Every structure is written in structure tokens, then in C-alpha cells.
Amino acid sequence: MTAVTSVDVVIDSVKTPRSTYRQEQADATRVRIADAAQRLFARDGYSATAMEGIAREAGVGTRTVYAVFGAKREILSVICERWLERAGARELAREVLDTVDPVERLRRSAGWLTTLYSTDFDVARVLDAAVDEDAETRELLAAKLRGRNRVMDQMISSVEPELSVPLAEAQSMFRAFAAVGVYGALVVDAGWTPARFESWLADALVHQLMSASAVPDPAHP
């Protein structure tokens, strides 16, 4: 082995760990900033929170926050994505849609929403309350809402043959039940457990949306 080749091997052997360490540090900084921003958004509101305040809360320089995210709305986007990952929202939605029995599928739709909200309701409230004059921020917020609504609409459309009301009306009713204020009023303000909310929502969806022929009669199993 030549001297040059030997040196190349040594350099290659240390490059990857060093690169990995730097990436881990960068990821940790990104998470720390996102967590700090989430605390401030929840406490003070999205619009009232400045990038400088996020930097102080995270213990980093303001320039670091801008270098990592570029804009406040990008932090909000990452917060939302991490929330969905923690809730397992995408995987759970697929499980709901794979459920064979339509009544059980509708009941599990209530479970999907409850899991999403109970995982981190602060994020749901931030997204619901965030307002900003920046058009790109408004579009980001609208896109997040559209994404949630598409999932719920798909869940309702999957049981369309069993619905007692028109599809569009049933989808609108699910969205109304899923309003952030409804969960907040019952779970946060009234002290319901998430399990009680899920049971209530599941019963409401079945009795309000499903045709009588689709719902088993307890007296005649």
C-alpha cells in the first residue's frame, strides 16, 4: 500500500463519524429550536412570538435560528410534522381505512382524531389560532388544514354506501365535530379524558351519519 493510499484510507475512516457527529449536532439544534418555538407559540401565540425570542428560549443565537429555518413559518411547519410523527397519524389513518366493518371504521376515525389531538393539543391550538399577514404563512396554515380535512373526508367517503345523509354533509359534520374548540371545551375545559371524548365522538358519528341498517341492533346481535 502506498503512503498516499494509506493516508486516504485513514482520512476516509474518520470523515464519516465526524460528518455523522456534525449532523447529529445540527439535528439536535433544529429540535431544540422547534421545541422552544412550540413553547412560546403555545404560551404567547404565533404572531406575538419573534425569532429573537425563540433564539433566547432555545439558548442559541438569532442568526442560528435564521440559518436553520429561514423563516418563522418553517419552524411551525417542522413543529406540525413532528406532531404528526409522534401521533403516528399517517400509519393510524391507513389502519382505519383498512378496517373492514364500516361502523367500526367510522368509530376508529374518532380514535384517529382523538390520538392526534391528545398527542399534543398545543400544536392543534397554535395552528387553529395562528394568524399572520404574510401570504406564505397563510398558505402554510391552509395547507395543514386541508391535509387534515382530506384524511377525514377520505374516512367518511369510505363508508358512503352506509351513510344516512349525503356525503358532503357527512364530511362537513365530521369537520364540525373535529373543530379544535370542541375538543378544547370537553377535554381541556370540562375535564373529559381523551378516552371519553373518543367514545362520545364515535357514538355521535355512528348515530348521526350511519343508516339504521348499517348499525347492529344490540337486542338482536
Side-chain angles (χ1 to χ4, degrees):
M1 179 181 291
T2 66
V4 173
T5 302
S6 177
V7 169
D8 288 343
V9 170
V10 172
I11 290 175
D12 286 343
S13 70
V14 298
K15 270 185 178 179
T16 300
R18 186 178 300 164
S19 176
T20 300
Y21 175 75
R22 288 176 178 173
Q23 185 60 51
E24 288 175 352
Q25 291 294 97
D27 291 343
T29 299
R30 184 179 179 86
V31 168
R32 187 166 65 198
I33 293 170
D35 286 344
Q38 182 176 333
R39 290 192 296 271
L40 295 181
F41 292 163
R43 188 189 72 191
D44 303 330
Y46 174 80
S47 298
T49 300
M51 295 288 265
E52 292 77 12
I54 295 171
R56 285 194 300 271
E57 181 73 12
V60 300
T62 302
R63 287 201 294 182
T64 298
V65 177
Y66 278 105
V68 173
F69 286 100
K72 188 168 66 170
R73 63 179 170 273
E74 297 303 326
I75 306 178
L76 184 59
S77 181
V78 168
I79 288 171
C80 183
E81 184 60 30
R82 294 181 67 225
W83 170 43
L84 296 176
E85 290 175 358
R86 288 195 300 273
R90 296 179 179 88
E91 297 81 2
L92 185 55
R94 286 193 289 269
E95 291 176 10
V96 171
L97 292 170
D98 286 342
T99 302
V100 176
D101 180 71
V103 173
E104 181 62 20
R105 194 182 315 145
L106 195 58
R107 298 189 71 88
R108 293 194 67 184
S109 299
W112 174 84
L113 183 73
T114 304
T115 298
L116 189 63
Y117 283 173
S118 63
T119 296
D120 200 335
F121 191 53
D122 278 348
V123 180
R125 288 199 288 197
V126 167
L127 290 171
D128 186 61
V131 291
D132 198 287
E133 294 182 357
D134 180 79
E136 290 180 302
T137 299
R138 290 196 300 272
E139 175 53 32
L140 169 66
L141 296 171
K144 300 302 181 185
L145 180 60
R146 286 195 301 270
R148 187 203 66 168
N149 287 347
R150 276 196 300 269
V151 174
M152 294 194 301
D153 287 351
Q154 187 177 4
M155 290 175 177
I156 298 300
S157 65
S158 74
V159 298
E160 183 176 9
E162 310 298 338
L163 293 175
S164 62
V165 298
L167 175 60
E169 183 178 334
Q171 290 169 332
S172 296
M173 291 171 70
F174 189 16
R175 293 185 192 184
F177 282 128
V180 169
V182 174
Y183 186 92
L186 295 176
V187 176
V188 179
D189 299 336
W192 283 20
T193 64
R196 183 180 178 185
F197 176 84
E198 178 180 343
S199 178
W200 168 80
L201 178 57
D203 289 343
L205 290 175
V206 170
H207 293 302
Q208 293 291 326
L209 304 184
M210 301 295 276
S211 63
S213 61
V215 182
D217 185 346
H220 301 87

